[in-house]
Amino acid sequence: MTTQEVRLCGLLLREHFGEVVEKLGTHLLRSGSQNLRTILHETGMPRDLVKKVLCVLVQNGVCVFNHRGPGRPTNYQANSNKILRILRYPRYIYTAKTLYGDTGELIIEELLQRGEMTMSRTVKTVADRLTQNMEDGQCMDYSEVSSAFCKLVETHFLQRCPPVAGAGKADSAAPATPATQAGASAPTPESFPDCYRVPQVTIRGQGKRRLSSEDVDQTIAKKAKMDPETHGDEGIYWQVNFERFHLHFRDQAIISAVANKLDQTSSEIVRTMLRMSEVTTSPTASCTKPLSANEIFRSLPSTYNIARPILDQYLTLLVDDPMEFVGRAGESGGGMFVVNLHKVLANLARATLESIVQERFGSRSARIFRLLLRKRHLEQKQVEDFAMVPAKEAKDMLYMLLSQNLVQLQEIPKTPDFAPSRTFYLYTCNQLPTARMLLQNCYKTVANLIERRLFESKESKRLLEKSQRIEAILASLQASGAEPEQLTEVEEMITAPEKQQLDSLRLHINKLDSAENQDGNMG
């Protein structure tokens, strides 16, 4: 794990969970797997506080634990990849909104915020939030939210939290809550058969409006303590299936690439092939299961009136394209075809690298970089000839790319003494190390953006707090039906210079947020 990853993970933990969680999380990232006694000794934090922080990390899926048997301590280890997923939270939520509307969006948002929740509690919370934004007299039925929840489970965007071995042995009647599951080993969700089975939940009614201005979390906590009603899903917790979202992002990237390279009809054919092989193809497979042209033809959407000969022409075009979107796997059934998942993603990564070089160093440098990616090893004279660039310019561009670690120089001596006159100097470019280096640059950029945003907010903390207080007063007055004169008087509590400073600050922070989301999605 690199220093930039640890730095970015610490900033994300601080922003979402606070400085105490950041301290313990970064300690685990740097130290690796540790038991409770070692953590207490090295951090100097109180025992109760460390336990609470570990529960927060475990419940949000960013820390794993390993119970090695009776009488042996449980080890805890933070996972940097799972912490970095926080950068994609806005994209997960937006995807759920696109596929399942506002209800799906709020379900995913609640589970991302809380890590793990029961279905009944999620349905109630989401229904209350939707009702709060509806007009007076309208309420969201629990059944509608339950239906959206079931659809997310059916498409594997949600999954059950795995049962923890040994949880609840001391008191078999008590359900194993996420906070009490930190004492035994945790299997993967896919390792038990009920991962996507929705329990019979008895929950009827409608969402309720929040009458007071209390915090939503406090209200839900009070209701959970006072409400003895059972719904049949006690002890069954659900979480977001991040891998399913990542597969969806992968498929969308492939479909978008086909549409940009060829046309919309070609992308719809590839979309159909991906949808048909969604269940039968392993997430780590290099290509989809073979599909016959007849099957693809029958599965195409009815809105696309494509004749069978036209489909064959499109499939041939996809197979012959240099990006290798589709491969031929046989001749039976009118031809067997697969989507080359790994090849397409590798080609997309290569295209991204080439576009970055072109953006930073110009089209001629991009031409040289593209040439080295394809030819693998070339001498400087060969680069000049193949790229059709003057010798002086080619030399400067190669040295510039070399200084940025985008290309490497390999020495191949003719004799053991490494004499320069008897040594070949070959320029080369390795795609995977170069992509990893640029990924680390993205991590560094995102960390810088977060630090800058936190600094800007801290510098204007007093003004932001004043603005929030005035907005709260205005909302309260509007709810109570105050006169326009009163509202104007409260609005004038912020002076014109302060209002201008606030507008400038919000514009700046919005730009930082936008850049942060863009870099986070690239990572």
Side-chain angles (χ1 to χ4, degrees):
M1 187 186 309
T2 63
T3 306
Q4 295 302 333
E5 286 182 76
V6 175
R7 175 185 170 219
L8 178 55
C9 288
L11 288 168
L12 291 171
L13 290 175
R14 183 203 305 178
E15 192 167 19
H16 286 79
F17 305 109
E19 294 183 359
V20 178
V21 177
E22 177 203 5
K23 179 181 177 182
L24 183 55
T26 51
H27 171 76
L28 288 175
L29 287 173
R30 291 192 177 102
S31 305
S33 180
Q34 287 190 333
N35 57 42
L36 183 60
R37 183 188 295 274
T38 307
I39 294 171
L40 292 171
H41 174 71
E42 294 187 1
T43 61
M45 297 168 64
R47 186 185 188 90
D48 290 341
L49 184 60
V50 169
K51 285 184 175 181
K52 290 178 181 177
V53 172
L54 287 173
C55 285
V56 169
L57 293 174
V58 169
Q59 180 162 347
N60 284 275
V62 299
C63 179
V64 294
F65 53 89
N66 178 26
H67 187 60
R68 297 178 294 173
R72 303 187 68 182
T74 300
N75 283 355
Y76 300 89
Q77 183 173 8
N79 189 319
S80 62
N81 291 329
K82 293 182 179 179
I83 296 173
L84 292 173
R85 286 189 310 211
I86 296 174
L87 289 169
R88 290 183 176 171
Y89 278 10
R91 193 175 180 189
Y92 299 142
I93 295 170
Y94 178 74
T95 301
K97 181 182 178 68
T98 304
L99 296 175
Y100 299 101
D102 293 341
T103 308
E105 173 193 10
L106 291 183
I107 290 173
I108 296 297
E109 184 180 336
E110 284 294 324
L111 286 168
L112 288 175
Q113 286 181 347
R114 302 175 187 277
E116 302 172 356
M117 288 179 74
T118 61
M119 178 179 174
S120 55
R121 184 178 173 190
T122 306
V123 169
K124 285 187 174 182
T125 305
V126 171
D128 290 347
R129 288 184 62 183
L130 288 169
T131 301
Q132 191 70 27
N133 295 324
M134 288 181 171
E135 297 179 359
D136 292 339
Q138 294 182 348
C139 295
M140 172 61 69
D141 287 336
Y142 289 155
S143 59
E144 292 185 40
V145 183
S146 297
S147 176
F149 191 99
C150 292
K151 288 179 182 177
L152 285 164
V153 176
E154 287 172 8
T155 51
H156 293 188
F157 285 106
L158 296 182
Q159 62 185 187
R160 280 198 196 187
C161 299
V164 178
K169 284 186 178 179
D171 183 6
S172 58
T177 62
T180 61
Q181 287 177 350
S185 59
T188 59
E190 304 285 351
S191 63
F192 71 107
D194 294 335
C195 181
Y196 300 108
R197 187 176 67 82
V198 180
Q200 292 293 331
V201 179
T202 56
I203 176 169
R204 297 181 181 86
Q206 294 178 327
K208 299 175 179 60
R209 295 183 183 275
R210 195 158 41 89
L211 301 177
S212 64
S213 58
E214 292 180 345
D215 186 74
V216 178
D217 292 339
Q218 295 177 354
T219 306
I220 293 173
K222 289 178 182 178
K223 285 183 179 179
K225 290 180 180 178
M226 297 172 60
D227 188 5
E229 184 183 358
T230 58
H231 302 286
D233 67 338
E234 286 72 26
I236 300 175
Y237 290 86
W238 295 86
Q239 64 186 5
V240 175
N241 185 4
F242 295 100
E243 296 307 318
R244 178 67 182 86
F245 274 100
H246 295 162
L247 291 177
H248 178 76
F249 298 155
R250 179 200 68 187
D251 292 349
Q252 292 302 309
I254 293 173
I255 293 166
S256 176
V258 174
N260 292 333
K261 185 74 162 49
L262 300 174
D263 61 4
Q264 194 64 38
T265 304
S266 301
S267 71
E268 194 59 42
I269 293 171
V270 173
R271 185 198 303 273
T272 302
M273 294 177 68
L274 289 171
R275 189 177 66 247
M276 291 169 65
S277 57
E278 199 170 43
V279 179
T280 58
T281 303
S282 168
T284 57
S286 61
C287 59
T288 60
K289 294 293 183 183
L291 299 168
S292 69
N294 294 332
E295 292 175 318
I296 298 170
F297 180 70
R298 288 194 298 268
S299 300
L300 282 171
S302 57
T303 54
Y304 277 82
N305 297 319
I306 302 176
R308 178 56 197 275
I310 302 298
L311 174 63
D312 291 338
Q313 291 177 12
Y314 270 109
L315 288 171
T316 303
L317 181 66
L318 286 165
V319 170
D320 294 340
D321 190 271
M323 290 288 283
E324 300 181 88
F325 295 110
V326 174
R328 187 181 290 273
E331 299 299 331
S332 60
M336 303 293 290
F337 299 92
V338 297
V339 179
N340 295 317
L341 301 172
H342 284 190
K343 282 186 178 180
V344 174
L345 294 176
N347 287 331
L348 289 177
R350 173 179 292 189
T352 302
L353 293 177
E354 292 173 2
S355 67
I356 290 172
V357 173
Q358 180 163 348
E359 187 72 24
R360 291 181 61 186
F361 305 108
S363 58
R364 289 193 172 187
S365 296
R367 190 192 310 167
I368 291 173
F369 183 77
R370 191 180 301 115
L371 183 66
L372 290 173
L373 278 174
R374 292 179 181 172
K375 298 290 188 179
R376 298 304 299 271
H377 294 88
L378 291 174
E379 291 183 293
Q380 182 174 319
K381 183 68 171 62
Q382 292 176 306
V383 172
E384 297 166 7
D385 294 340
F386 287 141
M388 294 182 289
V389 177
K392 185 177 184 304
E393 289 185 25
K395 182 178 179 181
D396 292 342
M397 292 172 186
L398 282 169
Y399 287 174
M400 176 63 71
L401 294 173
L402 188 64
S403 67
Q404 297 294 320
N405 291 324
L406 292 168
V407 301
Q408 294 78 40
L409 186 62
Q410 187 173 350
E411 299 178 2
I412 302 179
K414 296 179 184 177
T415 56
D417 58 356
F418 280 84
S421 60
R422 294 185 294 275
T423 301
F424 293 109
Y425 293 94
L426 302 180
Y427 288 93
T428 183
C429 179
N430 295 321
Q431 181 172 325
L432 189 57
T434 305
R436 285 176 177 160
M437 182 197 69
L438 292 174
L439 181 61
Q440 295 302 318
N441 289 345
C442 286
Y443 290 152
K444 181 179 179 180
T445 303
V446 175
N448 289 342
L449 289 167
I450 293 175
E451 284 192 339
R452 183 65 192 179
R453 177 163 50 79
L454 293 174
F455 174 79
E456 295 282 348
S457 301
K458 186 178 179 180
E459 286 290 301
S460 306
K461 184 179 179 181
R462 184 196 62 80
L463 186 58
L464 288 171
E465 288 177 350
K466 179 180 178 181
S467 173
Q468 289 171 357
R469 285 196 303 269
I470 292 174
E471 287 175 0
I473 294 170
L474 285 171
S476 178
L477 290 173
Q478 288 173 350
S480 61
E483 297 292 331
E485 292 78 8
Q486 289 179 286
L487 298 177
T488 305
E489 185 178 347
V490 173
E491 288 175 352
E492 290 175 351
M493 292 173 65
I494 294 185
T495 62
E498 287 178 333
K499 189 175 293 184
Q500 185 177 0
Q501 186 180 349
L502 267 176
D503 292 340
S504 175
L505 175 65
R506 284 169 179 161
L507 179 62
H508 195 189
I509 289 179
N510 286 338
K511 286 182 179 179
L512 292 172
D513 277 333
S514 177
E516 180 186 329
N517 287 332
Q518 184 177 359
D519 280 329
N521 288 330
M522 282 188 65

